[in-house]
Amino acid sequence: MPHALQAEFATVLRDPALPLPTSVISHTSRTPQKRFAVYRNNVMVGLIGALESRFPATRRIVGDEFFAAAARVFASTQPPRSPLMMTYGDEFPDFLASFEPAAEIAYLADVAGLEAARTRAYHAADAAPLEPAAFSQIDADRLADLCIVLHPSVEIIRSQFPIVVIWAMNAGDMELGPVADWRGDDALVARPALDVEVRRLPPGAAAFLQSLSADAPLGTAAESAAASDPAFDLAVNLAALFSAGLAISATHRP
Amino acid sequence: MTTKITKTEIGAAALAGALATALTLVSATASAQTMGGDKAGKEKCYGVSLKGENDCAAGAGTSCAGSSKVDYDGSIWKYVPKGTCETIKTPQGTGSLKPVKS
């Protein structure tokens, strides 16, 4: 398809109010409008369906009807840029954050952000986590200079809402109920092996992991974590790093 | 001699101590689990992915349901979100979802 035609076709596809592209003809019907409408609807239904399967907890929070309507607005303004439907909706959390009808549910965008991260973690590259034994070989005097590479699937979502519990309740992992501890969560999403895991991070861990993923050596990362939260406990964080399989390599800087 | 005011400096001994503690913690958890050989025996299996984790639903885009021209005007936004949000109770009030507003 020539480029201009393609652009026109794509525009009309997203807006039912626009007239049919002149190039769209039918050999067997004098009214291709109806057929085009079917096609247009299928495209929209497909995109909404992709968002529904990527954001099940978000959908459950607002209800099917609201979700479908919100997804329709998103899909008509932000069509996919890639044919890989599993990546569609990376911008959906941001969209929800500024989506006025959802403003009442302050935590919605962050829960959607967690769900988006889960899909990305699922499709992230595989990498074998480092065995804890590897760390016992390291020269203790040079620990501060140790550079730890995190697993490619690792993502951190910081929220001022208890999104891990809210997500778990709406993803069917936990029963719905009162949230006793209404505090912000730093959520960790990772897929060290086959399953995507979601955890709540201990104090300072978000700063610690973000620092490590920005290539800071262990000493610097620990210091910035302690500065960000006095309750930061390095031993607990290292133990979590090993047991959750978050580190894939640890080397000294040359 | 001037007193150096450092932020939160963590010495080499503290780092080594933390690592030793961490390794002890991990080995304690590992031996508490049953050998952990289970996960290592798994392999990636294609074509059986769970809903929401697969490469889009094959059937979704092929539906002809409601093929009429859809005309959502502003009225749709009279919907109030409904779902499970009101089931989650926050300390700030039952059923209300305007939390963290002190």
Side-chain angles (χ1 to χ4, degrees):
Chain A
M1 247 195 268
H3 190 265
L5 175 58
Q6 216 168 32
E8 186 192 14
F9 192 87
T11 309
V12 175
L13 207 50
R14 300 208 303 270
D15 188 354
L18 293 175
L20 215 56
T22 46
S23 51
V24 174
I25 50 163
S26 166
H27 292 294
T28 53
S29 159
R30 253 173 274 146
T31 54
Q33 282 83 356
K34 243 183 189 167
R35 296 176 181 201
F36 191 80
V38 170
Y39 177 67
R40 173 160 51 203
N41 190 64
N42 283 344
V43 170
M44 187 52 84
V45 167
L47 294 180
I48 294 172
L51 294 170
E52 282 171 347
S53 48
R54 186 167 182 189
F55 299 95
T58 308
R59 185 183 182 206
R60 200 164 165 224
I61 289 169
V62 296
D64 295 354
E65 211 174 0
F66 188 94
F67 187 91
R72 183 178 293 275
V73 173
F74 174 77
S76 55
T77 51
Q78 302 190 47
R81 281 184 215 93
S82 156
L84 304 174
M85 278 296 104
M86 66 206 184
T87 66
Y88 187 52
D90 277 341
E91 295 85 7
F92 192 56
D94 283 345
F95 165 83
L96 287 177
S98 56
F99 187 53
E100 221 260 308
E104 188 188 326
I105 309 173
Y107 53 75
L108 191 68
D110 288 348
V111 173
L114 177 58
E115 295 201 284
R118 287 186 77 249
T119 328
R120 281 192 295 271
Y122 187 81
H123 293 287
D126 287 334
L130 214 56
E131 293 291 324
F135 283 91
S136 54
Q137 316 288 324
I138 287 161
D139 181 4
D141 294 333
R142 297 181 60 204
L143 274 177
D145 297 327
L146 196 67
C147 283
I148 295 174
V149 177
L150 298 181
H151 194 279
S153 65
V154 168
E155 271 193 55
I156 292 156
I157 298 101
R158 308 193 70 170
S159 175
Q160 54 180 133
F161 306 104
I163 52 167
V164 173
V165 165
I166 295 174
W167 169 79
M169 282 179 174
N170 287 285
D173 285 3
M174 256 175 95
E175 274 209 26
L176 280 168
V179 180
D181 194 9
W182 191 266
R183 280 189 301 187
D185 273 345
D186 290 337
L188 169 79
V189 176
R191 187 184 58 80
L194 297 170
D195 297 321
V196 178
E197 294 168 4
V198 177
R199 291 160 196 252
R200 263 166 94 172
L201 286 171
F208 180 60
L209 294 173
Q210 280 167 348
S211 192
L212 287 179
S213 68
D215 297 331
L218 183 59
T220 313
E223 278 163 17
S224 61
S228 86
D229 195 324
F232 174 74
D233 184 328
L234 182 59
V236 166
N237 274 272
L238 285 174
L241 195 76
F242 304 151
S243 61
L246 303 185
I248 59 167
S249 88
T251 49
H252 283 289
R253 274 202 286 208
Chain B
M1 203 170 171
T2 48
T3 354
K4 252 203 286 177
I5 299 167
T6 43
K7 21 177 184 69
T8 36
E9 206 163 275
I10 298 173
L15 279 177
L19 179 63
T21 314
L23 289 171
T24 319
L25 283 172
V26 173
S27 66
T29 355
S31 51
Q33 291 163 356
T34 46
M35 302 314 281
D38 196 26
K39 224 165 203 176
K42 287 191 188 174
E43 58 186 3
K44 218 172 185 178
C45 179
Y46 292 91
V48 294
S49 53
L50 293 175
K51 192 175 148 218
E53 292 171 339
N54 60 340
D55 185 0
C56 189
T62 55
S63 161
C64 260
S67 55
S68 64
K69 185 168 141 184
V70 199
D71 185 16
Y72 276 93
D73 55 14
S75 66
I76 189 97
W77 300 121
K78 293 209 172 71
Y79 284 128
V80 179
K82 56 183 177 191
T84 59
C85 57
E86 276 135 42
T87 331
I88 303 173
K89 292 183 180 63
T90 77
Q92 275 79 9
T94 43
S96 161
L97 287 175
K98 283 172 188 161
V100 190
K101 204 182 262 181
S102 45

